[in-house]
Amino acid sequence: MKNILITGGAGFIGSHVVRLFINNYPNYNIINLDALTYAGNLENLSDIEGSKNYKFVKGDICDAQFINELMQKESITDIIHLAAESHVDRSISDPLSFVRTNVIGTVNLLNAAVAAWKDAYDQHIFYHVSTDEVYGSLGETGFFLETTSYDPQSPYSASKASSDHFVRAYANTYGLNIKVSNCSNNYGPNQFPEKLLPLMINNIKNNKPLPVYGKGENIRDWLYVVDHARAIDDIFHKGKVGETYNVGGFNEWKNIDIVNLLCKVMDKKLNRQDGDSAKFITFVKDRAGHDMRYAIDATKINKDLGWEPSLQFEEGLEKTVDWYLENEAWLKNVTSGKYQEYYDEQYA
Ligand code: NAD
Ligand code: TYD
C-alpha cells in the first residue's frame, strides 16, 4: 500500500501527474498538497476530484510543522515533489519568492522525509521533479546529458539547481532514497498563460499583439505534458534509486518558428485567412539573461526504461489548441483579476 504525497498537484504538470496516478494505480492513495498560488487551480482536477483514492490538502511546503504533521497523519510512504515557483520572468522581478519555495520548501520536505522515514529509508522514495534549465544555455550544437555540469543562468534555474543539490546531498548524508528528473519545456492543456504557448494562444484568440522576446531566435525543446507525466510514472516505478534521468522531446524549435506555426494552426481552427494571426507578431525587449538554447539528450531514459514521447509535435500542438478553444471558461477564469496586472507590468 502506498500513500503518495504529490506536491504542486494543482499546477500544470502536477495535475497531469495526479490524474495519471489516480487512473493507473487505484491501489495507491494520492495526497495532493498545494498552496494554490496564482498558478494552482483545482479546476485542473475537476474530473478526478471525486475519486476514492484522491485527497486534496491545501498547504505550504515552507511550513515545517504542517508538513511534519501531514507526513504522520497520512502515513506518507513516498513523495513526488513538483511544487515550485516556475516562471523565469517572475524570478527576475521577485527572486526571493523562488528561494523561499524552491529551496527552503524543498529542504523542508527533505527534513520531513528524513524525520518520518529514518528507520526504513529503503522502503520510501523522494522523487524530485526538476528542469533542464539547471544546465544553463547551449550554443548551436550539443545536448544536455545527465552528466552535464550545472550552470544555471536565471534566478529560477539557480533556485532549481540549488534544490537538486539539496536532494542529492540528503541521499549522500542521510541515506534517503532519491530520484531526480530534469525535463525540457512542457506544453499542453492547463498551462497557465504566462508561459509562451498558452499566452500566445490566448492573445491570438483575442487579436492582441504576440510579444516575441528579442529576435525570436532562442531555441527550446518541447514535450507534451502527458508524456512528461508518463516519464515520471516510469522513473518512479522503474528508475534506479539515486539516479537522474533527463526527459525531452527530441523536438527543438526557434521561438519565432513555433509562434508562426501556432498562428497557422489557429488561423485554420478559427476560420481565419492564413497569415491573419501572424500579423500580430511583435518583437519586444529581450528577457534579461535570456538562455539561447536548451536541448535534452533523452537516450538514458529511452534505453534504460523504454520511455519515448507518444505524440508528434504537430499532433500535440493541435490537441493543445483544441483544449484551450474548448475550455474558454478555464481561460477566462485564470486571465481575470491579478493576471491582467501581471500582464500589464511584464509587457508594458
Ligand atoms: P506551475 O507553476 O504550473 O505549478 C506549480 C504548483 O505549485 C502550483 O499549483 C502552485 O500552487 C504550487 N505551489 C507553489 N508554491 C507552493 C508552496 N509554497 N507550497 C505548496 N504548493 C506550492 O508549475 P509547472 O509548470 O507545473 O511545474 C511543476 C514542476 O515541474 C516545477 O518544479 C518545475 O520546476 C518543473 N518543470 C517544469 C517545466 C515546464 O515546462 N513547465 C519543465 C521542467 C520541469
Ligand atoms: P517560457 O514559456 O517562459 O519558458 P522558459 O523561459 O522556461 O523556457 O518561454 C519559452 C521561450 O519563449 C523563451 O525563450 C522565452 C520566450 N517568450 C517570448 O518570446 N515571449 C513571451 O511572452 C514569453 C512568455 C516567452
Side-chain angles (χ1 to χ4, degrees), residues 7-15 33-41 59-62 81-87 100-102 105 128-133 156 160 181-187 190-192 194-195 222 228:
T7 71
F12 166 48
I13 301 170
S15 61
L33 167 67
D34 198 295
L36 298 182
T37 68
Y38 77 91
N41 184 351
D60 186 344
I61 57 167
C62 299
H81 175 36
L82 296 106
E85 288 295 335
S86 67
H87 191 43
R100 182 183 179 276
T101 292
N102 300 358
H128 182 54
V129 176
S130 192
T131 168
D132 62 353
E133 303 190 24
Y156 164 63
K160 290 297 289 187
S181 57
N182 296 84
C183 187
S184 63
N185 286 58
N186 285 212
Y187 71 97
N190 308 96
Q191 188 169 30
F192 192 78
E194 63 188 353
K195 306 273 167 53
W222 296 91
H228 186 192

Side-chain angles (χ1 to χ4, degrees), residues 32-49:
N32 170 15
L33 167 67
D34 198 295
L36 298 182
T37 68
Y38 77 91
N41 184 351
L42 288 178
E43 274 183 59
N44 294 346
L45 290 164
S46 51
D47 57 324
I48 58 96
E49 68 188 357

Side-chain angles (χ1 to χ4, degrees), residues 254-271:
K254 258 189 199 169
N255 290 341
I256 187 63
D257 294 340
I258 210 172
V259 173
N260 269 312
L261 175 65
L262 180 67
C263 287
K264 249 185 180 323
V265 169
M266 288 199 60
D267 279 343
K268 254 201 203 135
K269 302 265 176 202
L270 297 169
N271 295 319

Side-chain angles (χ1 to χ4, degrees), residues 171-318:
N172 181 61
T173 309
Y174 304 100
L176 204 58
N177 273 358
I178 62 133
K179 298 181 183 187
V180 177
S181 57
N182 296 84
C183 187
S184 63
N185 286 58
N186 285 212
Y187 71 97
N190 308 96
Q191 188 169 30
F192 192 78
E194 63 188 353
K195 306 273 167 53
L196 179 72
L197 286 175
L199 184 141
M200 294 295 175
I201 291 171
N202 188 39
N203 286 12
I204 291 171
K205 197 166 155 266
N206 296 311
N207 286 316
K208 284 175 64 179
L210 308 176
V212 173
Y213 295 163
K215 294 184 179 150
E217 283 174 351
N218 305 65
I219 293 172
R220 298 292 183 262
D221 167 11
W222 296 91
L223 178 68
Y224 192 64
V225 62
V226 176
D227 281 329
H228 186 192
R230 287 176 47 247
I232 290 171
D233 179 6
D234 285 347
I235 293 164
F236 180 77
H237 287 100
K238 302 188 286 185
K240 269 203 199 136
V241 167
E243 295 276 321
T244 295
Y245 295 88
N246 281 357
V247 185
F250 299 103
N251 179 40
E252 291 182 50
W253 286 84
K254 258 189 199 169
N255 290 341
I256 187 63
D257 294 340
I258 210 172
V259 173
N260 269 312
L261 175 65
L262 180 67
C263 287
K264 249 185 180 323
V265 169
M266 288 199 60
D267 279 343
K268 254 201 203 135
K269 302 265 176 202
L270 297 169
N271 295 319
R272 294 178 182 171
Q273 295 277 329
D274 188 29
D276 274 1
S277 301
K279 285 184 199 141
F280 285 85
I281 291 175
T282 311
F283 293 95
V284 299
K285 188 169 165 248
D286 209 353
R287 173 186 280 173
H290 196 171
D291 287 341
M292 182 45 79
R293 175 171 165 258
Y294 304 143
I296 280 276
D297 182 336
T299 306
K300 177 176 168 180
I301 185 171
N302 177 252
K303 282 231 164 79
D304 291 3
L305 308 184
W307 175 90
E308 61 183 4
S310 68
L311 281 187
Q312 291 295 317
F313 180 62
E314 283 73 6
E315 196 186 345
L317 190 64
E318 279 218 21

Side-chain angles (χ1 to χ4, degrees), residues 10-68:
F12 166 48
I13 301 170
S15 61
H16 288 276
V17 175
V18 167
R19 177 174 302 101
L20 186 145
F21 272 70
I22 291 285
N23 291 334
N24 288 4
Y25 304 101
N27 292 335
Y28 295 176
N29 289 314
I30 301 300
I31 296 97
N32 170 15
L33 167 67
D34 198 295
L36 298 182
T37 68
Y38 77 91
N41 184 351
L42 288 178
E43 274 183 59
N44 294 346
L45 290 164
S46 51
D47 57 324
I48 58 96
E49 68 188 357
S51 305
K52 276 210 303 265
N53 59 334
Y54 173 70
K55 183 186 266 187
F56 171 70
V57 180
K58 183 169 189 278
D60 186 344
I61 57 167
C62 299
D63 182 343
Q65 191 186 338
F66 165 77
I67 298 293
N68 280 319

